[in-house]
Amino acid sequence: MDQEKILVIGACGQIGRELTAALRLKFGQMQVLASDIQAKNNLSTEVFPYQQLDVTDADALEKLIADEQVTQIYHLAAMLSANGEKNPKKAWDLNMNSLLSVLDLSVKYGVKKVFWPSSIAVFGPDSEKTNTPQQGITEPSTVYGISKAAGEYWCKYYFEKFGLDVRSIRYPGLISYTGAPGGGTTDYAVDIFHHGVEAKPFTCFLKKETVLPMMYMEDAIRATLELMDAPVDNIKVRTSYNLSGLSFSPEELATEIEKLVPGFKVDYTPDFRQQIADSWPGSIDDSAAQTDWNWKPAYNLEAMVSDMLLNLRALQEI
Ligand code: AKB
């Protein structure tokens, strides 16, 4: 087998850090080039090999793909739902134009596989709320969601028109201890742990009963690797796969944390993100992912909470 050369775009983000590490374990440190907008000298050496890249600069992206003879791209750079509502045009420009550059350049330079994340944000107020189906209504009400819905169709188009093997997952809210998410509606479910581990009271920006689909990062990374490893003929969904892990409300999460952090206090002051959360499903039907590439999550709420607290406490001690 020829050696792969993998480019991760957005490698310093919440998914990027962990996915880059997982890809390096699988393919070798030097086979995975991390890139992000951050300057090299602000980063720890763990992220090397690294190339600073503004993905909206199509010429810089082209040079990198050509010079490095890239065979696979994981394009993770995006502006998330809450930040996107504050900067709609900028979110559209980053999320959409960077995807189109990646798709075009992948065709031009014969990149074999592309991964691009979509999101539960493709669903909207008229989508089914419970066990939202793979092919249900997708009428998003955020710019982020619109960019993800449109991006899914572009991925399908490049597969059908040019045979580009681009694969995608509709990630739920992701929970991890290594990196903070930036500007999403599900971010509370990470912030709450940082307060919990220090036994500090937490103010949640969503109502206590708002149930959203979520997933522990370990599961999300494994899902991504499994999707990318699946035989090409198994990939029947060329927009983006629904993926389900957990579904819980802020109150249910707080109760589970309180079992391990007695006396942990949470209060609720909903802000503009409540409206975004209200437009999203509470749970997701991922039977297509189960059938096509054997997807099965490993973490339930209890296991995720105990692993998060364990790892955050260990990090505190370093
Ligand atoms: C967000 O909250 O914007 C993201 C997402 C669900 O895609 N975490």
Side-chain angles (χ1 to χ4, degrees):
M1 192 181 78
D2 291 344
Q3 271 207 327
E4 299 288 350
K5 190 68 193 262
I6 297 172
L7 174 63
V8 182
I9 301 169
C12 297
Q14 190 198 12
I15 306 171
R17 293 157 72 116
E18 302 217 18
L19 190 55
T20 303
L23 289 166
R24 284 181 172 157
L25 272 181
K26 188 171 156 71
F27 293 98
Q29 184 82 11
M30 300 311 289
Q31 301 318 116
V32 181
L33 176 61
S35 72
D36 206 295
I37 195 146
Q38 295 190 35
K40 210 172 188 168
N41 50 12
N42 293 337
L43 299 169
S44 84
T45 48
E46 270 167 50
V47 81
F48 294 169
Y50 178 84
Q51 173 67 51
Q52 183 178 17
L53 173 74
D54 173 355
V55 70
T56 59
D57 180 346
D59 293 338
L61 178 62
E62 176 159 10
K63 185 166 166 15
L64 197 56
I65 293 172
D67 288 355
E68 297 290 334
Q69 301 183 357
V70 168
T71 62
Q72 293 190 30
I73 299 179
Y74 290 71
H75 172 29
L76 310 170
M79 197 183 294
L80 299 184
S81 56
N83 277 355
E85 292 311 285
K86 293 184 200 151
N87 308 284
K89 300 274 165 44
K90 217 170 154 191
W92 179 258
D93 183 40
L94 170 63
N95 297 1
M96 217 61 270
N97 293 333
S98 66
L99 172 63
L100 289 174
S101 299
V102 166
L103 295 174
D104 275 337
L105 293 169
S106 295
V107 172
K108 182 168 174 185
Y109 288 93
V111 172
K112 287 188 289 183
K113 277 188 199 171
V114 177
F115 176 78
W116 175 79
S118 184
S119 160
I120 54 157
V122 296
F123 298 113
D126 295 325
S127 306
E128 280 179 49
K129 284 272 169 221
T130 309
N131 285 331
T132 307
Q134 177 68 48
Q135 283 180 314
I137 298 171
T138 47
E139 288 182 13
S141 55
T142 60
V143 173
Y144 172 65
I146 299 170
S147 72
K148 290 296 180 188
E152 289 188 2
Y153 289 112
W154 277 115
C155 291
K156 187 169 188 282
Y157 181 82
Y158 271 72
F159 171 71
E160 286 170 354
K161 187 116 182 158
F162 304 108
L164 180 65
D165 188 1
V166 43
R167 306 182 183 194
S168 177
I169 283 174
R170 290 174 179 156
Y171 288 127
L174 297 178
I175 297 161
S176 59
Y177 54 87
T178 55
T185 303
T186 58
D187 293 11
Y188 89 84
V190 177
D191 294 344
I192 193 171
F193 281 99
H194 290 272
H195 286 71
V197 82
E198 293 186 11
K200 284 190 186 150
F202 178 67
T203 300
C204 181
F205 57 72
L206 296 183
K207 290 185 197 159
K208 61 182 176 186
E209 64 275 13
T210 312
V211 175
L212 288 172
M214 301 279 186
M215 182 171 281
Y216 198 33
M217 188 62 90
E218 265 72 356
D219 272 343
I221 298 299
R222 184 169 54 80
T224 309
L225 299 181
E226 287 175 5
L227 169 71
M228 294 306 277
D229 269 351
V232 66
D233 292 343
N234 287 34
I235 307 301
K236 309 283 185 224
V237 175
R238 284 295 176 174
T239 48
S240 186
Y241 277 97
N242 273 9
L243 196 71
S244 174
L246 310 160
S247 280
F248 56 77
S249 66
E251 188 175 37
E252 286 163 336
L253 179 57
T255 303
E256 205 54 48
I257 295 174
E258 219 232 322
K259 288 183 190 163
L260 301 175
V261 183
F264 180 49
K265 290 269 171 306
V266 179
D267 61 25
Y268 301 89
T269 309
D271 66 14
F272 73 101
R273 288 169 280 195
Q274 184 64 46
Q275 203 182 351
I276 302 177
D278 287 342
S279 77
W280 289 350
S283 60
I284 297 289
D285 174 2
D286 64 1
S287 43
Q290 293 176 36
T291 306
D292 293 356
W293 41 278
N294 296 321
W295 165 244
K296 197 167 182 293
Y299 284 84
N300 61 20
L301 181 59
E302 197 187 343
M304 187 267 290
V305 168
S306 110
D307 204 61
M308 274 294 284
L309 289 173
L310 195 79
N311 280 292
L312 285 173
R313 282 182 179 135
L315 286 173
Q316 270 183 333
E317 280 161 21
I318 293 174

